[in-house]
Amino acid sequence: MNSNKLQAHGAIFLANSIFGLGVPVTKLLLDDWVTPMGYMASRSLGACILFWIIAAFLPKEKVERKDLITILFGGLMGFVISQTLTAWALDFTSPVYFSLIASLTPVAVMLCAALTIGEKITPKKSLGVLLGIAGAVLMVLMSQSLGSGKNDLIGIALAILSVLTWAVYLIITRNVASKYSPVTQMKYVFLISAIVTVPIAIPELPDNALYTAAWGWEGVLEMAFIVICATALGFFLIPYAMKHLSATTVSIYTNLQPVVASLVAILIGQDILTWDKPVAGILVLLSAYIVTQVKDNE
C-alpha cells in the first residue's frame, strides 16, 4: 500500500470515529440546546466561515462550472438533506439505533450505484442486502417494546432516508473529489448549506436555548465540537480520502460509527444495552462486509 492510500485510510478512519462520537453529542444538543434546524444552521454557517477563512490563505483553485454544479448539488444531498434527516432522526430515536442504520451505508451505495450507473448486483451481494434489511426490520420491531426514543419508528425511517441521500452524495461526487482540494470542495458545500439552512432556522431562534439568555458553556463546547470536528474536520477528510479510495471503500469505514456511538451513548446513559442491538449490529455489519468484499462476479 503506497503512502497516499495509507494516509487516505487513516483520514477516513479518523473521520468516522469523529462522526461516531458526534452522534451522542448531537443527541445532547438536541435534547437541551437547539432545534434540529438550529443545529443544522449552526453547523452550516460555522463550517462555511471556517473553510472560506482557510481558503483565503491557500492558492486559489478554479472550478469548472459543471463541477461546481456537482459540488453544490452534492452539498444539498450530502449535507443539507442527509444531515437534516440525521438531526430529525436523533430527535426521535436513540444514538444506538441511528448508528446501526448508518452501518447500512455500503448497502445503500451499492443499491444506488445499481440504479444510477448499472452496477451489477450478484446473488451473494443480494444476500448481503437481505441481511441488512433483516437487521433494520429487527430494530423496527423491537423498538416498539424495547426502544428508548420518543418515537423510534419515525427515527429509524428518517435514519434510512439519511443513509440513502448520503450514498447518493458519495456516488455523484466521486469524480470531482479527485479533481479539487478538499478545502475548495467544502467551502462551496457549506456555502450552499448555509444559504439554505440559516433563513429557515432564524424564526426558530427563540426556541434554541443555546442562542438565548439560557445559554451555557456545556452547550457551547458541544456545538464547537460538532462544528469544528464533526463538520469541518470530518468533511475535510472525506474528499481527501476519496482522492485515493473508491466510494465503496470509503463507505466501509461507516461501520466504525455504531461502535463508537453505541459505546459512548451507553456509557453516558443515553441508551441501554438490549439483546436486539448486538444482534441487529451483527446482521448489518455482516451485510456491509458481504456487499463490499464479494467480487462482482460472485
Side-chain angles (χ1 to χ4, degrees):
M1 184 182 296
N2 62 45
S3 60
N4 285 334
K5 281 198 172 184
L6 186 62
Q7 290 173 6
H9 280 283
I12 202 63
F13 179 93
L14 177 59
N16 279 282
S17 297
I18 291 171
F19 289 153
L21 182 56
V23 172
V25 174
T26 294
K27 184 68 173 174
L28 291 172
L29 282 166
L30 293 171
D31 286 347
D32 301 324
W33 300 107
V34 291
T35 63
M37 284 312 304
Y39 167 82
M40 281 300 301
S42 300
R43 290 186 72 183
S44 300
L45 184 59
C48 177
I49 293 170
L50 283 175
F51 277 113
W52 280 88
I53 290 174
I54 294 170
F57 294 94
L58 298 176
K60 189 173 181 180
E61 194 171 22
K62 182 175 176 58
V63 180
E64 294 180 30
R65 183 171 179 175
K66 62 181 180 62
D67 292 336
L68 180 58
I69 292 172
T70 299
I71 292 171
L72 293 175
F73 182 68
L76 290 173
M77 292 296 295
F79 190 79
V80 176
I81 297 177
S82 179
Q83 297 302 304
T84 298
L85 288 167
T86 291
W88 285 342
L90 284 168
D91 197 35
F92 284 101
T93 193
S94 71
V96 174
Y97 277 142
F98 173 82
S99 58
L100 287 174
I101 292 295
S103 298
L104 292 171
T105 298
V107 178
V109 170
M110 185 197 70
L111 291 175
C112 291
L115 292 173
T116 58
I117 59 178
E119 183 177 293
K120 185 180 178 182
I121 299 180
T122 63
K124 285 189 177 180
K125 287 187 176 183
S126 297
L127 172 62
V129 172
L130 291 175
L131 287 172
I133 292 173
V137 169
L138 176 62
M139 282 182 266
V140 169
L141 294 176
M142 298 312 298
S143 68
Q144 303 306 297
S145 59
L146 299 176
S148 56
K150 65 183 182 183
N151 193 321
D152 289 292
L153 185 60
I154 292 177
I156 290 170
L158 291 169
I160 291 172
L161 291 175
S162 173
V163 167
L164 288 172
T165 52
W166 178 251
V168 172
Y169 164 76
L170 290 177
I171 291 171
I172 66 176
T173 60
R174 68 189 189 282
N175 291 327
V176 296
S178 61
K179 294 177 65 175
Y180 305 103
S181 72
V183 172
T184 296
Q185 294 176 65
M186 290 301 103
K187 74 177 187 179
Y188 288 115
V189 164
F190 288 108
L191 175 63
I192 190 66
S193 299
I195 289 172
V196 171
T197 60
V198 171
I200 298 174
I202 287 176
E204 295 184 4
L205 280 181
D207 299 321
N208 289 258
L210 189 61
Y211 301 115
T212 67
W215 73 276
W217 282 110
E218 183 181 351
V220 172
L221 292 174
E222 289 167 2
M223 183 58 75
F225 172 81
I226 291 297
V227 171
I228 297 171
C229 297
T231 306
L233 179 57
F235 278 80
F236 170 84
L237 293 171
I238 288 172
Y240 172 80
M242 289 181 69
K243 280 179 172 288
H244 307 288
L245 304 172
S246 69
T248 301
T249 300
V250 169
S251 69
I252 294 172
Y253 280 92
T254 307
N255 296 331
L256 280 171
Q257 293 185 32
V259 177
V260 176
S262 299
L263 286 174
V264 174
I266 291 170
L267 284 173
I268 65 176
Q270 284 183 340
D271 208 338
I272 56 174
L273 182 62
T274 53
W275 71 266
D276 64 307
K277 289 163 184 156
V279 173
I282 290 170
L283 288 172
V284 298
L285 292 175
L286 185 58
S287 166
Y289 175 80
I290 291 173
V291 165
T292 54
Q293 296 301 312
V294 170
K295 295 179 181 178
D296 290 337
N297 60 350
E298 293 183 330

